[in-house]
Amino acid sequence: MLIAITREVSPSVAGCELSFVPRTEIDVARANAQHRGYQRALATLGCEVRVLDAQPDMPDAVFVEDVAVVVDEVAVMTRPGAESRRAEGASIAEVLRQYRRLRAIEAPGTLDGGDVLRIGRMFYVGESARSNADGIAQLRSILAEYGYTVQGVPIQGCLHLKSAVTALDDESVLLQPTWIDRAAFAHYRIVEVDPAEEHAANVLCIGGTVVMPACFPRTRARVQGAGVDVVSVDVSELQKAEGAVTCCSLVFRES
Ligand code: CIR
Protein backbone atom coordinates (compact mmCIF):
# COMPACT_ATOMS: atom_id res chain seq x y z
CA MET A 1 0.00 0.00 0.00
CA LEU A 2 1.22 3.51 -0.84
CA ILE A 3 0.72 6.24 1.72
CA ALA A 4 0.33 9.83 0.50
CA ILE A 5 0.69 12.49 3.17
CA THR A 6 -0.98 15.77 2.28
CA ARG A 7 -1.95 18.89 4.21
CA GLU A 8 -4.86 21.23 3.68
CA VAL A 9 -4.13 24.62 2.13
CA SER A 10 -3.34 27.29 4.70
CA PRO A 11 -5.79 30.20 4.87
CA SER A 12 -2.66 32.38 4.84
CA VAL A 13 -1.35 30.93 1.55
CA ALA A 14 -1.40 34.42 -0.02
CA GLY A 15 1.68 35.18 2.11
CA CYS A 16 3.66 32.32 0.55
CA GLU A 17 7.30 32.52 -0.52
CA LEU A 18 7.74 33.41 -4.20
CA SER A 19 11.00 33.36 -6.15
CA PHE A 20 10.35 33.17 -9.90
CA VAL A 21 6.57 33.67 -10.09
CA PRO A 22 4.93 37.12 -9.77
CA ARG A 23 2.51 37.54 -6.86
CA THR A 24 -1.14 37.36 -7.94
CA GLU A 25 -4.31 36.92 -5.93
CA ILE A 26 -4.97 33.36 -4.74
CA ASP A 27 -8.56 32.17 -4.27
CA VAL A 28 -8.19 30.01 -1.14
CA ALA A 29 -11.55 28.26 -1.53
CA ARG A 30 -10.67 27.35 -5.10
CA ALA A 31 -7.18 26.26 -4.05
CA ASN A 32 -8.80 23.94 -1.49
CA ALA A 33 -11.21 22.51 -4.05
CA GLN A 34 -8.33 21.87 -6.47
CA HIS A 35 -6.30 20.31 -3.68
CA ARG A 36 -9.16 17.90 -2.96
CA GLY A 37 -9.18 16.99 -6.67
CA TYR A 38 -5.47 16.27 -6.40
CA GLN A 39 -6.06 14.07 -3.36
CA ARG A 40 -8.78 12.17 -5.26
CA ALA A 41 -6.36 11.58 -8.14
CA LEU A 42 -3.81 10.08 -5.73
CA ALA A 43 -6.52 7.86 -4.20
CA THR A 44 -7.53 6.69 -7.70
CA LEU A 45 -3.93 5.66 -8.29
CA GLY A 46 -4.01 3.46 -5.20
CA CYS A 47 -2.70 5.73 -2.46
CA GLU A 48 -4.11 5.84 1.05
CA VAL A 49 -4.32 9.62 1.34
CA ARG A 50 -3.73 11.13 4.77
CA VAL A 51 -4.86 14.71 5.17
CA LEU A 52 -3.27 16.81 7.92
CA ASP A 53 -4.93 19.94 9.25
CA ALA A 54 -3.94 23.25 7.70
CA GLN A 55 -1.30 25.30 9.51
CA PRO A 56 -2.89 28.78 9.65
CA ASP A 57 0.40 30.54 10.45
CA MET A 58 2.47 28.71 7.81
CA PRO A 59 1.53 29.94 4.33
CA ASP A 60 3.51 27.28 2.44
CA ALA A 61 2.70 24.27 4.63
CA VAL A 62 0.55 22.62 1.94
CA PHE A 63 3.82 21.89 0.11
CA VAL A 64 4.68 18.93 2.33
CA GLU A 65 7.23 17.49 -0.11
CA ASP A 66 9.80 20.07 0.91
CA VAL A 67 10.14 19.00 4.55
CA ALA A 68 11.10 15.35 4.18
CA VAL A 69 12.75 12.76 1.94
CA VAL A 70 11.31 9.28 2.49
CA VAL A 71 12.79 5.99 1.30
CA ASP A 72 11.95 2.44 2.35
CA GLU A 73 14.56 2.42 5.10
CA VAL A 74 14.41 5.92 6.61
CA ALA A 75 12.78 9.35 6.51
CA VAL A 76 15.13 12.33 6.43
CA MET A 77 13.62 15.53 7.79
CA THR A 78 15.00 18.42 5.79
CA ARG A 79 15.95 21.91 6.90
CA PRO A 80 14.15 24.09 4.32
CA GLY A 81 16.13 26.86 2.71
CA ALA A 82 13.45 29.48 3.40
CA GLU A 83 13.50 30.39 7.07
CA SER A 84 9.72 30.98 6.99
CA ARG A 85 9.27 27.26 6.28
CA ARG A 86 11.46 25.73 9.02
CA ALA A 87 8.57 25.03 11.43
CA GLU A 88 6.53 23.06 8.90
CA GLY A 89 8.37 19.79 9.50
CA ALA A 90 7.49 19.16 13.15
CA SER A 91 3.97 17.87 12.57
CA ILE A 92 5.05 15.90 9.51
CA ALA A 93 7.79 14.23 11.57
CA GLU A 94 5.15 13.05 14.04
CA VAL A 95 3.28 11.29 11.23
CA LEU A 96 6.39 9.88 9.52
CA ARG A 97 7.57 8.46 12.86
CA GLN A 98 4.67 5.99 12.58
CA TYR A 99 6.26 4.51 9.45
CA ARG A 100 10.02 5.10 9.50
CA ARG A 101 12.98 5.85 11.70
CA LEU A 102 13.85 9.50 11.37
CA ARG A 103 17.07 11.32 10.58
CA ALA A 104 17.50 15.04 10.05
CA ILE A 105 19.51 17.61 8.11
CA GLU A 106 21.24 19.87 10.61
CA ALA A 107 22.38 23.52 10.42
CA PRO A 108 24.16 24.96 8.52
CA GLY A 109 22.79 22.55 5.94
CA THR A 110 19.64 23.46 4.03
CA LEU A 111 17.62 21.19 1.80
CA ASP A 112 14.18 21.36 0.18
CA GLY A 113 12.49 18.12 -0.82
CA GLY A 114 11.56 19.82 -4.10
CA ASP A 115 15.24 19.64 -5.01
CA VAL A 116 15.43 15.88 -4.48
CA LEU A 117 14.68 13.62 -7.45
CA ARG A 118 14.89 9.88 -7.02
CA ILE A 119 15.33 7.57 -10.00
CA GLY A 120 15.95 3.99 -8.88
CA ARG A 121 18.93 3.99 -6.47
CA MET A 122 20.08 7.45 -7.66
CA PHE A 123 19.19 10.73 -6.02
CA TYR A 124 19.75 13.94 -7.99
CA VAL A 125 19.70 17.06 -5.81
CA GLY A 126 19.36 20.58 -7.14
CA GLU A 127 22.11 23.04 -6.20
CA SER A 128 19.53 25.77 -5.73
CA ALA A 129 18.96 28.83 -3.57
CA ARG A 130 17.15 26.47 -1.16
CA SER A 131 19.55 23.51 -0.96
CA ASN A 132 23.17 24.23 -0.09
CA ALA A 133 26.31 22.13 -0.42
CA ASP A 134 26.27 21.19 3.26
CA GLY A 135 22.67 19.99 3.11
CA ILE A 136 23.40 17.94 0.00
CA ALA A 137 26.50 16.43 1.65
CA GLN A 138 24.47 15.47 4.74
CA LEU A 139 21.81 13.80 2.60
CA ARG A 140 24.56 11.97 0.69
CA SER A 141 26.08 10.63 3.86
CA ILE A 142 22.74 9.50 5.35
CA LEU A 143 21.48 7.80 2.18
CA ALA A 144 24.88 6.18 1.49
CA GLU A 145 24.25 4.06 4.59
CA TYR A 146 21.38 2.45 2.68
CA GLY A 147 23.16 2.07 -0.64
CA TYR A 148 21.80 5.13 -2.44
CA THR A 149 23.95 7.53 -4.47
CA VAL A 150 23.42 11.30 -4.24
CA GLN A 151 24.59 13.63 -7.00
CA GLY A 152 24.30 17.42 -6.99
CA VAL A 153 22.95 19.06 -10.16
CA PRO A 154 23.17 22.78 -11.00
CA ILE A 155 19.93 24.52 -11.99
CA GLN A 156 19.25 28.06 -13.16
CA GLY A 157 16.11 30.19 -13.51
CA CYS A 158 13.74 28.05 -11.44
CA LEU A 159 12.97 27.29 -7.80
CA HIS A 160 13.80 23.60 -7.44
CA LEU A 161 15.40 20.74 -9.37
CA LYS A 162 11.95 19.20 -9.78
CA SER A 163 10.74 22.41 -11.44
CA ALA A 164 13.22 21.50 -14.19
CA VAL A 165 13.15 17.71 -14.35
CA THR A 166 11.10 14.80 -13.00
CA ALA A 167 10.97 11.08 -13.75
CA LEU A 168 8.37 9.54 -16.07
CA ASP A 169 9.62 6.08 -15.09
CA ASP A 170 12.98 4.57 -14.13
CA GLU A 171 14.36 5.07 -17.65
CA SER A 172 12.79 8.38 -18.73
CA VAL A 173 12.69 11.99 -17.59
CA LEU A 174 10.59 15.01 -18.49
CA LEU A 175 12.92 17.99 -18.70
CA GLN A 176 12.86 21.77 -19.23
CA PRO A 177 16.13 22.43 -21.10
CA THR A 178 16.30 26.17 -20.33
CA TRP A 179 16.66 25.49 -16.59
CA ILE A 180 18.96 22.47 -16.53
CA ASP A 181 21.71 20.96 -18.68
CA ARG A 182 20.38 17.93 -20.56
CA ALA A 183 23.83 16.35 -20.24
CA ALA A 184 23.22 15.52 -16.56
CA PHE A 185 20.41 13.17 -17.67
CA ALA A 186 21.87 12.00 -20.99
CA HIS A 187 21.76 8.34 -19.96
CA TYR A 188 17.95 8.51 -19.61
CA ARG A 189 15.39 8.84 -22.38
CA ILE A 190 14.65 12.57 -22.34
CA VAL A 191 11.22 14.01 -23.14
CA GLU A 192 11.34 17.81 -23.29
CA VAL A 193 8.44 20.01 -22.23
CA ASP A 194 6.70 21.90 -25.02
CA PRO A 195 8.50 25.28 -25.34
CA ALA A 196 5.17 27.10 -24.84
CA GLU A 197 4.68 25.41 -21.43
CA GLU A 198 7.57 26.65 -19.32
CA HIS A 199 6.51 25.06 -16.01
CA ALA A 200 5.40 21.67 -17.35
CA ALA A 201 8.33 19.51 -16.20
CA ASN A 202 6.95 18.87 -12.71
CA VAL A 203 4.98 15.61 -12.81
CA LEU A 204 4.34 13.04 -10.11
CA CYS A 205 4.81 9.40 -11.09
CA ILE A 206 2.74 6.89 -9.13
CA GLY A 207 2.76 3.25 -10.13
CA GLY A 208 3.49 3.93 -13.79
CA THR A 209 0.99 6.77 -14.25
CA VAL A 210 2.01 10.41 -14.07
CA VAL A 211 -0.10 13.13 -12.48
CA MET A 212 0.39 16.49 -14.17
CA PRO A 213 -1.27 19.93 -14.20
CA ALA A 214 -4.19 20.26 -16.62
CA CYS A 215 -2.84 23.51 -18.11
CA PHE A 216 -0.07 21.79 -20.10
CA PRO A 217 -1.89 19.91 -22.90
CA ARG A 218 1.01 20.09 -25.36
CA THR A 219 3.45 18.52 -22.93
CA ARG A 220 0.78 16.01 -21.94
CA ALA A 221 0.62 14.94 -25.58
CA ARG A 222 4.41 14.52 -25.66
CA VAL A 223 4.32 12.39 -22.50
CA GLN A 224 1.49 10.22 -23.82
CA GLY A 225 3.34 9.98 -27.13
CA ALA A 226 6.23 8.47 -25.15
CA GLY A 227 3.85 5.74 -23.98
CA VAL A 228 3.20 7.03 -20.47
CA ASP A 229 -0.31 7.22 -18.97
CA VAL A 230 -1.33 10.64 -17.65
CA VAL A 231 -3.91 11.88 -15.16
CA SER A 232 -4.48 15.66 -15.30
CA VAL A 233 -5.44 17.79 -12.31
CA ASP A 234 -6.26 21.48 -12.20
CA VAL A 235 -3.87 23.08 -9.67
CA SER A 236 -3.91 26.62 -11.06
CA GLU A 237 -4.32 28.32 -7.66
CA LEU A 238 -1.44 26.33 -6.15
CA GLN A 239 0.71 27.23 -9.16
CA LYS A 240 0.26 30.89 -8.17
CA ALA A 241 2.08 29.93 -4.94
CA GLU A 242 4.91 28.47 -7.08
CA GLY A 243 3.74 24.94 -6.33
CA ALA A 244 2.76 22.15 -8.68
CA VAL A 245 2.06 18.44 -8.28
CA THR A 246 5.08 16.81 -6.64
CA CYS A 247 5.17 19.35 -3.84
CA CYS A 248 1.69 18.65 -2.42
CA SER A 249 2.38 15.11 -1.18
CA LEU A 250 4.89 12.74 0.33
CA VAL A 251 4.28 9.33 -1.26
CA PHE A 252 5.93 6.19 0.07
CA ARG A 253 5.37 2.49 0.67
CA GLU A 254 3.62 1.79 3.96
CA SER A 255 6.32 -0.68 5.04
C1 CIR B 1 8.09 28.12 -1.74
O1 CIR B 1 8.59 29.04 -2.37
O2 CIR B 1 8.73 27.49 -0.91
C2 CIR B 1 6.64 27.77 -2.00
N1 CIR B 1 5.90 28.96 -2.27
C3 CIR B 1 6.51 26.80 -3.14
C4 CIR B 1 7.15 25.47 -2.83
C5 CIR B 1 6.91 24.47 -3.90
N2 CIR B 1 7.57 23.27 -3.56
C6 CIR B 1 7.89 22.33 -4.43
O3 CIR B 1 7.66 22.49 -5.63
N3 CIR B 1 8.50 21.27 -3.97
Side-chain angles (χ1 to χ4, degrees):
M1 170 63 95
L2 290 174
I3 306 290
I5 295 178
T6 66
R7 171 148 46 210
E8 290 188 354
V9 180
S10 174
S12 65
V13 66
C16 64
E17 296 281 340
L18 289 176
S19 304
F20 295 92
V21 167
R23 196 170 294 278
T24 53
E25 200 173 322
I26 298 176
D27 180 332
V28 179
R30 191 152 178 256
N32 265 305
Q34 292 177 348
H35 191 243
R36 282 192 291 275
Y38 171 82
Q39 291 164 333
R40 279 195 298 276
L42 298 194
T44 305
L45 294 176
C47 296
E48 179 188 325
V49 180
R50 295 193 59 172
V51 184
L52 309 193
D53 289 341
Q55 293 277 8
D57 301 331
M58 300 181 198
D60 282 307
V62 63
F63 302 125
V64 293
E65 166 182 69
D66 290 319
V67 302
V69 176
V70 186
V71 294
D72 286 350
E73 302 85 353
V74 68
V76 183
M77 300 311 300
T78 68
R79 183 168 179 271
E83 210 168 333
S84 70
R85 301 199 57 192
R86 301 251 165 93
E88 293 175 22
S91 54
I92 301 286
E94 288 317 304
V95 178
L96 288 176
R97 201 184 294 286
Q98 298 163 20
Y99 302 97
R100 298 287 191 276
R101 67 180 288 231
L102 299 186
R103 304 282 293 273
I105 303 296
E106 314 279 357
T110 64
L111 188 77
D112 276 15
D115 275 317
V116 180
L117 171 63
R118 178 183 178 178
I119 308 180
R121 304 298 291 182
M122 277 300 300
F123 279 82
Y124 298 93
V125 186
E127 295 165 352
S128 71
R130 298 288 179 86
S131 299
N132 66 17
D134 191 78
I136 297 171
Q138 289 185 44
L139 185 71
R140 176 178 295 117
S141 128
I142 293 169
L143 291 182
E145 293 176 32
Y146 305 98
Y148 298 98
T149 302
V150 169
Q151 184 178 312
V153 185
I155 58 169
Q156 52 167 25
C158 62
L159 179 59
H160 287 133
L161 177 74
K162 279 190 284 194
S163 317
V165 59
T166 55
L168 294 171
D169 53 40
D170 276 358
E171 288 84 41
S172 319
V173 295
L174 179 63
L175 181 143
Q176 164 51 282
T178 60
W179 293 341
I180 194 163
D181 185 354
R182 284 174 55 105
F185 293 89
H187 48 297
Y188 296 97
R189 176 174 67 146
I190 296 177
V191 178
E192 289 191 4
V193 300
D194 186 280
E197 296 175 344
E198 192 180 30
H199 291 272
N202 184 268
V203 301
L204 174 61
C205 183
I206 297 180
T209 298
V210 303
V211 180
M212 67 181 290
C215 59
F216 302 127
R218 292 163 181 255
T219 301
R220 175 189 173 121
R222 289 187 177 203
V223 171
Q224 289 173 319
V228 178
D229 290 334
V230 177
V231 170
S232 296
V233 290
D234 183 359
V235 287
S236 58
E237 295 303 309
L238 296 161
Q239 288 171 308
K240 294 177 186 173
E242 212 163 354
V245 289
T246 65
C247 55
C248 293
S249 57
L250 280 163
V251 180
F252 54 87
R253 270 198 284 270
E254 183 170 14
S255 56

